[in-house]
Amino acid sequence: MQQEDFTCQSLSHFPNTGAVAWQSPSNIALVKYWGKKPVQLPANASISFTLSNCYTSTKLSFTKSDTRRVQVFVDGQEKPSFLKKIETFFERIETYCPYVNNYAFKIETENTFPHSSGIASSASGFSALALCVLSIERKINELSDVDFYKKASFLSRLGSGSACRSVYGPMGVWGAHEHYEGSSNDFAVPYSDVHEVFKNYQDTILLVDKGQKKVSSTLGHDLMIDHPFAKNRFEQARNHMFDLQKIIKDGNILAFNRLVEKEALTLHAMMMTSDPYFMLFKPNTLKIIHMVWEKREADKIPFTITLDAGANVHLLYPAEYKQVALQFIQDELIAYCQNEQYICDEVGKGPLLKMEQYA
Ligand code: PMV
């Protein structure tokens, strides 16, 4: 499917009214995407675990209208402040989905986790919305499952880059890379050459700071344009993508640990060395990282830490260590989590269609 193949040619026989609902998960990148070109094209390829319990549920109700109108409700409350981002999304997708100009939309959405907390709510949010929009098109335009998810990923990307990976479980790859067949900058592809141990890998997210981020990822991505270390970083990510492929296939937890932690720390090192520089780590982020490393050393538990663009720490480990990990969190780490909060998640299977009705 080329870029132009994503355009829906027909405007007739669309339903007059209806509603569709999807549940779509967040994801946690192992090789990070940081730096982009217009519009929403990645400077390097990335790969992520799709999560299971951190998801957005979105219901999109629609009625024919002369012009596009949009209302957004988050947790039952109307949120006009979300409209700007959503309007930008609709403007970007209208070339590919011209029918969005002919509806009044009501978007009702809720997350199972706090938004703007460094957990990728934009990833789950935009993928859920893209899946809802595309479901309307599928009603009149026959799309195979492969093409449906490919276009859904393509549309999600135009809302938020990392969202395009959320469309697939257990892992998604976004960005053209010679070692990943079918990979593209335009959309993510599913990745399933995954060793058993990673299929239900655990991700316990230690919520260090649930506040609104001081520096948005959009700004952070832009700061990579003139970043003095950008070229080397993109080269490193390219090599990491290559190395991770074998690690994931072989179930090599030791090598996984070294690569994934290097990625997380490099991401934040890029932030700390951009102009202007900024730092998303909080004192408790560092405290937790050091405590995890000490525990790993002392008790030989294969813990890996990773971070998104935020202060929260994702603690990754094989499912067989779940009890040990939760005990460690309860006994020692919880004191460094905001309001003693953490979220237990694991690698998941991808989005779920919850409901659709058309008239
Ligand atoms: O999708 P965005 O623009 O929110 O960027 C997300 C970037 C990271 O989460 C830091 C890394 C990634 O690949 O998900």
Side-chain angles (χ1 to χ4, degrees), residues 27 29 31-34 36 46 122 160-163 165 217 221 267 308-309:
N27 68 72
V31 174
K32 313 283 182 183
Y33 138 68
W34 198 243
K36 64 179 166 185
S46 58
S122 59
S160 159
S162 55
R165 296 185 310 239
S217 351
H221 285 292
L267 168 72
D308 254 333

Short mmCIF file of all heavy atoms in Angstrom, two decimals, residues 27 29 31-34 36 46 122 160-163 165 217 221 267 308-309, ligand 1:
data_model
loop_
_atom_site.label_atom_id
_atom_site.label_comp_id
_atom_site.label_asym_id
_atom_site.label_seq_id
_atom_site.Cartn_x
_atom_site.Cartn_y
_atom_site.Cartn_z
N ASN A 27 1.71 1.93 24.43
CA ASN A 27 2.87 1.06 24.17
C ASN A 27 4.11 1.66 24.82
O ASN A 27 4.12 2.85 25.15
CB ASN A 27 3.07 0.85 22.66
CG ASN A 27 3.49 2.11 21.92
OD1 ASN A 27 4.63 2.58 22.04
ND2 ASN A 27 2.56 2.68 21.14
N ALA A 29 8.17 1.99 24.14
CA ALA A 29 9.23 1.77 23.15
C ALA A 29 10.46 1.16 23.81
O ALA A 29 10.82 1.53 24.93
CB ALA A 29 9.59 3.08 22.48
N VAL A 31 13.37 0.51 21.53
CA VAL A 31 14.24 1.44 20.80
C VAL A 31 13.36 2.65 20.54
O VAL A 31 12.27 2.54 19.99
CB VAL A 31 14.76 0.83 19.47
CG1 VAL A 31 15.52 1.88 18.67
CG2 VAL A 31 15.64 -0.38 19.77
N LYS A 32 13.83 3.81 20.98
CA LYS A 32 12.97 5.00 21.04
C LYS A 32 13.00 5.81 19.75
O LYS A 32 14.04 5.92 19.11
CB LYS A 32 13.43 5.92 22.18
CG LYS A 32 13.70 5.23 23.50
CD LYS A 32 12.42 4.89 24.25
CE LYS A 32 12.72 4.25 25.60
NZ LYS A 32 11.51 3.86 26.30
N TYR A 33 11.86 6.41 19.50
CA TYR A 33 11.75 7.40 18.40
C TYR A 33 11.89 8.78 19.05
O TYR A 33 11.14 9.12 19.96
CB TYR A 33 10.39 7.19 17.73
CG TYR A 33 9.57 8.40 17.35
CD1 TYR A 33 9.99 9.26 16.33
CD2 TYR A 33 8.35 8.67 17.97
CE1 TYR A 33 9.21 10.35 15.96
CE2 TYR A 33 7.56 9.75 17.60
CZ TYR A 33 8.00 10.59 16.60
OH TYR A 33 7.23 11.65 16.23
N TRP A 34 12.89 9.52 18.63
CA TRP A 34 13.07 10.87 19.20
C TRP A 34 13.69 11.73 18.11
O TRP A 34 14.87 11.62 17.81
CB TRP A 34 13.96 10.83 20.46
CG TRP A 34 13.84 12.06 21.30
CD1 TRP A 34 14.85 12.96 21.59
CD2 TRP A 34 12.68 12.55 21.99
NE1 TRP A 34 14.38 13.97 22.40
CE2 TRP A 34 13.05 13.73 22.66
CE3 TRP A 34 11.36 12.10 22.09
CZ2 TRP A 34 12.15 14.48 23.42
CZ3 TRP A 34 10.46 12.84 22.85
CH2 TRP A 34 10.87 14.00 23.50
N LYS A 36 11.87 14.07 14.54
CA LYS A 36 10.99 13.77 13.41
C LYS A 36 11.10 14.81 12.31
O LYS A 36 11.62 15.91 12.53
CB LYS A 36 9.54 13.64 13.87
CG LYS A 36 8.92 14.88 14.45
CD LYS A 36 7.46 14.61 14.86
CE LYS A 36 6.92 15.72 15.74
NZ LYS A 36 5.58 15.43 16.25
N SER A 46 11.80 2.59 15.22
CA SER A 46 11.59 2.29 16.64
C SER A 46 10.77 1.00 16.77
O SER A 46 10.11 0.58 15.81
CB SER A 46 10.85 3.45 17.32
OG SER A 46 9.61 3.68 16.69
N SER A 122 -1.34 9.72 24.32
CA SER A 122 -1.59 10.12 22.93
C SER A 122 -1.53 8.88 22.03
O SER A 122 -2.24 8.80 21.04
CB SER A 122 -0.60 11.19 22.48
OG SER A 122 0.71 10.69 22.59
N SER A 160 -0.33 11.13 16.49
CA SER A 160 0.85 11.09 17.35
C SER A 160 1.75 9.97 16.83
O SER A 160 1.26 8.85 16.60
CB SER A 160 0.42 10.80 18.79
OG SER A 160 1.49 10.30 19.53
N GLY A 161 3.01 10.27 16.60
CA GLY A 161 3.91 9.31 15.97
C GLY A 161 3.83 7.92 16.60
O GLY A 161 3.52 6.93 15.92
N SER A 162 4.08 7.85 17.91
CA SER A 162 4.17 6.54 18.55
C SER A 162 2.83 5.80 18.54
O SER A 162 2.79 4.58 18.74
CB SER A 162 4.67 6.70 19.99
OG SER A 162 3.85 7.60 20.68
N ALA A 163 1.73 6.51 18.27
CA ALA A 163 0.40 5.88 18.24
C ALA A 163 0.32 4.80 17.16
O ALA A 163 -0.41 3.82 17.31
CB ALA A 163 -0.68 6.93 18.00
N ARG A 165 2.24 2.50 16.43
CA ARG A 165 2.69 1.17 16.87
C ARG A 165 1.65 0.47 17.73
O ARG A 165 1.68 -0.76 17.89
CB ARG A 165 4.01 1.29 17.66
CG ARG A 165 5.21 1.82 16.84
CD ARG A 165 6.47 1.78 17.70
NE ARG A 165 6.23 2.40 18.99
CZ ARG A 165 6.89 3.45 19.48
NH1 ARG A 165 7.87 4.00 18.80
NH2 ARG A 165 6.59 3.94 20.65
N SER A 217 6.49 16.47 24.13
CA SER A 217 7.35 15.69 23.22
C SER A 217 7.51 16.40 21.89
O SER A 217 8.55 16.28 21.25
CB SER A 217 6.84 14.28 22.97
OG SER A 217 5.80 13.88 23.74
N HIS A 221 11.07 16.66 20.21
CA HIS A 221 11.40 16.15 18.87
C HIS A 221 12.07 17.25 18.05
O HIS A 221 13.07 17.02 17.37
CB HIS A 221 10.14 15.70 18.13
CG HIS A 221 9.57 14.41 18.61
ND1 HIS A 221 10.22 13.21 18.44
CD2 HIS A 221 8.42 14.11 19.25
CE1 HIS A 221 9.48 12.23 18.95
NE2 HIS A 221 8.39 12.76 19.45
N LEU A 267 17.86 8.45 25.39
CA LEU A 267 16.73 9.35 25.13
C LEU A 267 16.80 10.56 26.06
O LEU A 267 16.71 11.71 25.63
CB LEU A 267 15.41 8.58 25.35
CG LEU A 267 14.13 9.41 25.41
CD1 LEU A 267 13.76 9.95 24.04
CD2 LEU A 267 12.96 8.58 25.97
N ASP A 308 9.71 6.65 29.24
CA ASP A 308 9.18 7.40 28.12
C ASP A 308 9.65 8.83 28.30
O ASP A 308 10.52 9.10 29.09
CB ASP A 308 7.64 7.34 28.16
CG ASP A 308 7.10 6.42 27.09
OD1 ASP A 308 7.79 6.25 26.07
OD2 ASP A 308 6.00 5.88 27.28
N ALA A 309 8.99 9.76 27.60
CA ALA A 309 9.33 11.16 27.80
C ALA A 309 8.63 11.65 29.06
O ALA A 309 7.67 12.42 29.01
CB ALA A 309 8.91 11.96 26.58
O1 PMV B 1 4.60 9.96 19.79
P1 PMV B 1 5.18 11.12 20.52
O2 PMV B 1 5.36 12.32 19.65
O3 PMV B 1 4.49 11.42 21.79
O4 PMV B 1 6.70 10.72 20.93
C1 PMV B 1 6.96 9.70 21.81
C2 PMV B 1 8.40 9.51 21.98
C3 PMV B 1 8.82 8.52 23.05
O5 PMV B 1 7.73 8.03 23.78
C4 PMV B 1 9.77 9.18 23.99
C5 PMV B 1 9.55 7.34 22.42
C6 PMV B 1 8.72 6.39 21.63
O6 PMV B 1 9.23 5.86 20.64
O7 PMV B 1 7.58 6.11 22.02
#
